[in-house]
Amino acid sequence: MSRRFAATAPRGEQLLFLTDDQLRNGIELMFFAYRGFTADPDLLLEDYGYGRAHHRALHFVNRRPGLTVNALLDILGVTKQSLNRVLRQLVEDGLIDSRVGETDRRQRNLFLTESGKALERSLSESQRTRMRKAYMEAGPEAVHGFRTVLEQMIDPDMRPRVLGLVGDGDD
Amino acid sequence: MSRRFAATAPRGEQLLFLTDDQLRNGIELMFFAYRGFTADPDLLLEDYGYGRAHHRALHFVNRRPGLTVNALLDILGVTKQSLNRVLRQLVEDGLIDSRVGETDRRQRNLFLTESGKALERSLSESQRTRMRKAYMEAGPEAVHGFRTVLEQMIDPDMRPRVLGLVGDGDD
DNA sequence: TTGGATAGTCAACAAGACTGACTTAAAAAG
DNA sequence: CTTTTTAAGTCAGTCTTGTTGACTATCCAA
């Protein structure tokens, strides 16, 4: 009974009773939510013969235009060889523009072309729609909590690389 | 200025101004959080020569003892053949016990052995620790919001299969 | 008891990640 | 001006995990 109450945890302070079961619920929730979250773009990507890796590359190049390959590598946390395959395709297909660096000519600065932007938009559109709906349903307070917990979940030394975090603290 | 205010959305009602950029922030957040969330168990799994698929199987068999292969298939959303390889390994290695169904002898009911339970525990321990920390840092209200938004993100026809949702609505 | 549907298994193959060794070009250090 | 380091890209091989197709065993209904 008191277990059930703690498991529900509507917004009281009994959250300090964090049973392993409650935490496992959270784990499961993450799994299913992430799946729902990637389901729509995955379908679209198939039509293009692309995978999730392509989506990630498009996303981050869109958000950080002029990004170098190394920086992207660092963000994605994959190997150079793995990213390169994906990047080469995207450049060949005219979705990404790879320009020789101005100050350091060894570097390549990455930009989305117009068609790259178009694909990124249509890929993220389904995700944005889903997220907008979730945000609307859940309400502003829930969204704030959602963001707060998720930020805490990010690897600490990864946090500086997350754009959305800047100026989002509420302290 | 008003844009920046909306982007912060401390807990007011201006959440209706959901810019694409805010939503993309959420998308990015999901990406990084999920990565942080799986990082620890991934390391452990390597030592055993297992992958994430093994972890998922162990997790769900632990939470729903006696689960049939078909039911697990349905939860994981992969093909029977893909799951089977993983399952076979786990059975061979003595982590999962596969018992012929009592009413329907075609079915196999899955259970964790003692060593299966031990591995599941140590795998989820790192995740639970991370999640516990995130929950503590964020506070009870944030956790509630976190859960609410994540639930909304799950594919609607998947929701009945998520254990943690039962009796967790606050309506 | 025959035939179809369902539960699970086996085999071969493909995508996408990884490691390791290497090349090329440019920058930085000596 | 050489040498070393760094950024990027490539080739080859492996591993995990997904796929499709063909198969066995069991149940159930005609």
Side-chain angles (χ1 to χ4, degrees):
Chain A
M1 204 100 180
S2 66
R3 166 67 58 82
R4 218 189 107 48
F5 190 48
T8 304
R11 61 194 62 194
E13 267 66 37
Q14 63 277 61
L15 231 283
L16 295 178
F17 305 137
L18 281 174
T19 65
D20 283 0
D21 225 57
Q22 284 174 300
L23 293 168
R24 267 186 250 256
N25 272 345
I27 289 171
E28 213 162 287
L29 205 48
M30 278 293 282
F31 169 71
F32 285 113
Y34 195 76
R35 265 246 311 252
F37 169 73
T38 52
D40 299 328
D42 281 356
L43 285 176
L44 243 163
L45 286 159
E46 254 179 66
D47 301 340
Y48 289 78
Y50 291 151
R52 234 174 252 182
H54 300 83
H55 185 187
R56 289 192 283 254
L58 291 171
H59 169 91
F60 285 107
V61 172
N62 175 62
R63 300 214 89 207
R64 298 155 174 80
L67 197 71
T68 65
V69 174
N70 237 344
L72 184 53
L73 234 44
D74 187 51
I75 287 170
L76 294 178
V78 296
T79 59
K80 183 166 53 163
Q81 297 88 330
S82 184
L83 174 60
N84 206 258
R85 191 188 326 119
V86 166
L87 226 43
R88 193 172 47 215
Q89 280 181 275
L90 292 172
V91 170
E92 276 173 8
D93 296 354
L95 301 179
I96 283 187
D97 188 14
S98 170
R99 300 184 208 152
V100 172
E102 296 190 354
T103 65
D104 187 334
R105 294 168 41 79
R106 287 172 304 179
Q107 296 182 334
R108 300 288 180 276
N109 295 108
L110 306 172
F111 301 88
L112 291 193
T113 63
E114 279 313 309
S115 48
K117 282 179 198 169
L119 179 54
E120 192 285 329
R121 246 193 312 275
S122 77
L123 280 174
S124 73
E125 186 165 271
S126 50
Q127 279 186 317
R128 293 200 310 275
T129 300
R130 189 184 285 253
M131 185 156 291
R132 187 180 294 111
K133 211 174 286 175
Y135 276 15
M136 301 286 242
E137 287 283 334
E141 274 193 40
V143 170
H144 183 259
F146 164 77
R147 293 192 52 89
T148 307
V149 173
L150 244 46
E151 285 170 17
Q152 290 296 326
M153 212 108 74
I154 297 174
D155 231 85
D157 51 322
M158 203 65 219
R159 280 178 207 151
R161 288 158 197 132
V162 186
L163 276 189
L165 260 50
V166 189
D168 240 27
D170 58 341
D171 44 354
Chain B
M1 202 105 183
S2 67
R3 167 69 57 85
R4 215 189 108 45
F5 189 46
T8 305
R11 60 194 66 194
E13 267 68 36
Q14 63 278 62
L15 230 281
L16 295 178
F17 305 136
L18 282 174
T19 67
D20 283 1
D21 225 57
Q22 285 174 297
L23 294 168
R24 268 186 250 256
N25 271 346
I27 290 171
E28 212 161 288
L29 204 49
M30 277 293 281
F31 169 71
F32 285 114
Y34 196 76
R35 265 246 310 252
F37 168 73
T38 52
D40 299 329
D42 281 358
L43 285 176
L44 242 163
L45 286 159
E46 254 178 66
D47 301 339
Y48 289 79
Y50 291 151
R52 236 176 249 181
H54 301 83
H55 185 186
R56 290 193 283 257
L58 290 172
H59 170 92
F60 285 108
V61 172
N62 175 62
R63 300 213 88 205
R64 298 156 175 79
L67 196 73
T68 65
V69 174
N70 234 347
L72 183 53
L73 233 45
D74 188 50
I75 288 170
L76 295 178
V78 295
T79 58
K80 181 159 59 159
Q81 296 86 334
S82 180
L83 173 60
N84 205 256
R85 192 187 320 113
V86 166
L87 228 42
R88 192 172 49 217
Q89 280 181 276
L90 293 171
V91 170
E92 275 173 10
D93 297 353
L95 301 179
I96 283 187
D97 188 12
S98 170
R99 300 183 208 155
V100 172
E102 295 190 354
T103 66
D104 188 336
R105 293 167 41 79
R106 288 172 305 180
Q107 296 182 334
R108 300 287 179 276
N109 295 108
L110 305 172
F111 302 87
L112 291 192
T113 63
E114 278 314 307
S115 47
K117 283 180 197 169
L119 179 54
E120 193 286 329
R121 246 194 310 276
S122 77
L123 280 173
S124 73
E125 186 166 271
S126 49
Q127 277 185 317
R128 293 200 310 274
T129 300
R130 188 183 286 252
M131 184 155 294
R132 186 181 294 111
K133 212 175 284 174
Y135 276 15
M136 301 287 243
E137 287 285 334
E141 275 192 40
V143 170
H144 183 257
F146 164 77
R147 294 192 51 89
T148 307
V149 173
L150 244 47
E151 285 169 18
Q152 290 295 327
M153 211 106 76
I154 298 174
D155 230 85
D157 51 323
M158 202 68 219
R159 281 178 205 150
R161 288 159 196 132
V162 186
L163 275 188
L165 260 50
V166 189
D168 241 24
D170 60 341
D171 45 355

